Amino acid sequence: MFEAQFQTFEEPEGGVALTARLAAFREELARKKLSGFVVPRADQQQNEYVPACDERLAWLTGFTGSAGLAIVLVREAGLFVDGRYTLQAAKQVDTRAWTIESLVEPPPERWLEQHLKPGDRLGFDPWLHTSSAVERMQAACAKAGAELVPVDGNPVDGVWTERPASPLGQVSIHGLEFSGESESAKLERIRGELARLKADALVLSDSHAVAWTFNIRGADVSHTPLPLSYALVPKDGRPTIFIDGRKLSNAARDHLEHSAQVAEPAALAPALQALAATGAAIALDSATAADALTRLIRDAGGKPLRGADPVALLKAVKNATEIEGTKTAHRRDAVALARFLAFIDREAPAGALTEIDAVEALESFRRDTGALKDVSFPTISGTGPNGAIVHYRVTRKSNRRIQPGDLLLIDSGAQYQDGTTDVTRTIAIGEPTAEMRDRFTRVLRGHIAIARAVFPDGTTGAQLDTLARQFLWQAGIDFDHGTGHGVGSYLSVHEGPARISKLGTTSLKRGMILSNEPGYYKTDGFGIRIENLELVIEKQIDGAEKPMNGFETLTLAPIDRRLIDLDMLSQKELAWLNDYHTCVRAEVRPHLDGPTQAWLDAATAPLQR
């Protein structure tokens, strides 16, 4: 059973312990005759949430963000993070030992070119990097006259004496009442993709793909019901699932054996080698397959076919059962959100609540639904300057009191068996400033532009991204994250391949669920973000010459009217907001007590100029 792993608020370990770890790690590299080593924030499958035993980057550096990379050389060490984590990284790591560098532009490879010396030997763990990442590092090493060395046995593990054991979360069956499609039907569709790829077999290196294909869920990582596992799907014959048998009850094993062979994880390499030895073309997911898998297939005489995992797109397009389930989950979640927002409005102005109080209250209201499995990610509860840290995670040390004049940014989500939610609201505590209202309204206008967008079939997220930023750009400001990400069905809250961002190249298809979350962040001042989940649907347009799509908003929670500058809204934007609030009131009000109904009535009352 997937057990809730609700938030803790302890400060990450730091100080002397981390200094000693870096020194011990350098000694280990010297023993292995390495000039340096690359430590990604990754497990073997490039999961967003990794088990404790794979948190090597956090253990070594103190940085706890969900994306990052460290490069340790003899005399220099760099921590590479993206724009979401620049402020967080600077607060968590010892900047006397580490320099904070860009993960994106310029990329870490540029740093390697500048800091490696001829003859250096840079080590890496081939199970923790994709082949494309290895090729980029290889090119950088070549430019510097250095050698990139695959290492058998991660040297971090050699000095991490108290490294946790691998997880053994129990596997559960995700029944047809939630999945809406049998394993046999999904496998038939996957084999159709294999024929298109001209592949003899497909390695499912993404545990999300295994979970979706075989209608199972697990409990191996925080916040996502993930069963860490692999699968090998041949074009003919039964697939094989590679999973630790200790995770399987008799019922779960029986369920899997209806459609697949079940083997231990150690059997994956021999199975791939045997298949590759026949000269087979084996498809690998370029985003999640470890470079070690590519090497194994190639060395055994097979042909690795690297590309997009075809299951990712199949999984992203939700069927009717999954869509109805997620709508039910959002209606349930909306009741908890209304109770929470009413609580904040009632209690926060007195100045007694803290960021942690807000997190615990929201989780409590969600637990009251009786259906909560876990939060879908650690709740972001940032007030005042903490709200400007895009992926802020409150600790007991950073915990700030919510005070009049603050903005409270709270980004949260829930895992229910019928659907996954993700919602952000920015709340005015007391009277907001004119600057706050201006910035909030610009963010809101971008949010509405996405929600109201109508676009031809085949449109990508990159083509829509500008809609969310246009009003911020007019004021010379922007936000340093994507506008939206895909969302799973009782799986990852951050699901590919589609996204609304400058890098979103996948076409948006009907049935996909994506977030709509533009924002604005004033360093040391405040943060603003408004996030709803949107379902891609067909749009009927009179006289349309091609199929058209749009969005149906799934999230049901009031947007703070006190932060809106009405003079900045067009009539159509105002109409959208009033219609949205009418919908929220109609869906949520019947499930609330009297005082919360009164609060909701005021929070969703129509706005007029």
Side-chain angles (χ1 to χ4, degrees), residues 333-556:
D333 206 47
V335 176
L337 287 165
R339 294 179 64 199
F340 168 75
L341 292 170
F343 163 80
I344 291 294
D345 267 9
R346 184 174 67 247
E347 302 293 338
L353 295 181
T354 67
E355 294 167 338
I356 288 178
D357 292 332
V359 173
E360 292 179 335
L362 181 49
E363 290 184 2
S364 176
F365 288 128
R366 282 188 164 125
R367 279 196 297 270
D368 287 348
T369 66
L372 182 66
K373 296 295 186 179
D374 195 357
V375 294
S376 54
F377 57 94
T379 300
I380 297 169
S381 173
T383 187
N386 288 342
I389 303 172
V390 176
H391 275 211
Y392 171 69
R393 184 171 179 179
V394 59
T395 67
R396 299 197 187 282
K397 183 177 178 181
S398 69
N399 189 27
R400 189 175 186 275
R401 196 166 297 281
I402 304 168
Q403 303 172 22
D406 279 352
L407 296 184
L408 172 63
L409 187 156
I410 189 139
D411 184 352
S412 69
Q415 291 282 11
Y416 303 106
Q417 202 165 358
D418 49 4
T420 301
T421 72
D422 184 2
V423 52
T424 308
R425 288 296 181 266
T426 305
I427 307 159
I429 311 300
E431 185 66 27
T433 65
E435 181 188 31
M436 290 173 177
R437 296 176 73 229
D438 175 273
R439 296 324 193 219
F440 184 91
T441 308
R442 291 179 188 277
V443 171
L444 175 60
R445 295 185 73 191
H447 178 94
I448 293 172
I450 294 290
R452 295 181 62 236
V454 178
F455 46 92
D457 213 22
T459 297
T460 67
Q463 291 172 287
L464 297 183
D465 183 71
T466 304
L467 297 177
R469 301 176 188 270
Q470 57 183 314
F471 305 106
L472 294 165
W473 287 352
Q474 289 170 5
I477 53 180
D478 201 357
F479 54 94
D480 197 11
H481 59 75
T483 298
H485 55 81
V487 178
S489 178
Y490 190 44
L491 270 176
S492 177
V493 74
H494 300 124
E495 179 179 85
R499 52 182 166 168
I500 304 173
S501 84
K502 299 169 186 176
L503 304 176
T505 57
T506 298
S507 298
L508 306 186
K509 297 182 178 295
R510 295 167 194 168
M512 287 180 171
I513 297 171
L514 299 107
S515 67
N516 170 12
E517 50 180 309
Y520 170 74
Y521 311 92
K522 182 177 181 179
T523 301
D524 296 327
F526 55 85
I528 294 167
R529 188 159 64 250
I530 305 169
E531 177 185 18
N532 287 343
L533 297 192
E534 313 280 357
L535 172 68
V536 181
I537 61 172
E538 181 182 6
K539 283 285 188 179
Q540 295 289 344
I541 306 294
D542 290 342
E545 297 180 355
K546 55 177 63 180
M548 301 297 290
N549 297 330
F551 292 116
E552 176 185 344
T553 299
L554 301 173
T555 306
L556 298 163

Side-chain angles (χ1 to χ4, degrees), residues 141-418:
C141 288
K143 286 185 179 180
E147 179 186 3
L148 185 66
V149 182
V151 174
D152 184 15
N154 196 302
V156 175
D157 302 347
V159 293
W160 189 358
T161 56
E162 297 180 355
R163 182 172 172 239
S166 297
L168 292 172
Q170 290 298 292
V171 167
S172 60
I173 300 166
H174 196 59
L176 279 173
E177 69 273 26
F178 299 114
S179 68
E181 186 178 9
S182 69
E183 306 88 73
S184 59
K186 291 178 177 180
L187 286 166
E188 185 176 350
R189 289 205 283 152
I190 292 170
R191 288 194 176 97
E193 293 297 313
L194 280 174
R196 181 181 61 82
L197 294 171
K198 295 181 172 58
D200 296 304
L202 168 67
V203 176
L204 298 185
S205 54
D206 182 353
S207 293
H208 301 85
V210 178
W212 178 86
T213 300
F214 296 99
N215 288 330
I216 57 172
R217 297 296 186 264
D220 284 333
V221 301
S222 301
H223 313 307
T224 303
L226 203 58
L228 294 178
S229 52
Y230 289 87
L232 181 61
V233 182
K235 65 178 181 181
D236 301 305
R238 284 164 66 81
T240 303
I241 297 171
F242 302 91
I243 188 168
D244 193 315
R246 292 172 291 179
K247 301 177 185 179
L248 302 176
S249 65
N250 289 338
R253 183 177 288 274
D254 288 346
H255 169 81
L256 290 174
E257 288 181 343
H258 278 300
S259 55
Q261 302 290 111
V262 179
E264 291 294 313
L268 173 63
L272 278 178
Q273 286 169 329
L275 183 59
T278 68
I282 303 174
L284 294 171
D285 175 17
S286 57
T288 66
D291 182 59
L293 294 174
T294 299
R295 292 169 181 264
L296 187 153
I297 293 168
R298 187 181 59 231
D299 292 349
K303 182 182 179 183
L305 301 177
R306 287 159 43 196
D309 179 3
V311 175
L313 190 55
L314 298 177
K315 173 165 55 69
V317 177
K318 310 301 185 285
N319 60 42
T321 299
E322 291 171 319
I323 290 169
E324 187 52 45
T326 201
K327 288 182 177 181
T328 301
H330 277 85
R331 287 192 291 268
R332 180 189 306 119
D333 206 47
V335 176
L337 287 165
R339 294 179 64 199
F340 168 75
L341 292 170
F343 163 80
I344 291 294
D345 267 9
R346 184 174 67 247
E347 302 293 338
L353 295 181
T354 67
E355 294 167 338
I356 288 178
D357 292 332
V359 173
E360 292 179 335
L362 181 49
E363 290 184 2
S364 176
F365 288 128
R366 282 188 164 125
R367 279 196 297 270
D368 287 348
T369 66
L372 182 66
K373 296 295 186 179
D374 195 357
V375 294
S376 54
F377 57 94
T379 300
I380 297 169
S381 173
T383 187
N386 288 342
I389 303 172
V390 176
H391 275 211
Y392 171 69
R393 184 171 179 179
V394 59
T395 67
R396 299 197 187 282
K397 183 177 178 181
S398 69
N399 189 27
R400 189 175 186 275
R401 196 166 297 281
I402 304 168
Q403 303 172 22
D406 279 352
L407 296 184
L408 172 63
L409 187 156
I410 189 139
D411 184 352
S412 69
Q415 291 282 11
Y416 303 106
Q417 202 165 358
D418 49 4

Side-chain angles (χ1 to χ4, degrees), residues 19-35:
T19 303
R21 287 173 190 176
L22 181 58
F25 182 60
R26 282 187 164 125
E27 290 175 6
E28 182 74 5
L29 296 184
R31 280 192 292 272
K32 291 181 177 290
K33 296 181 171 53
L34 294 172
S35 312

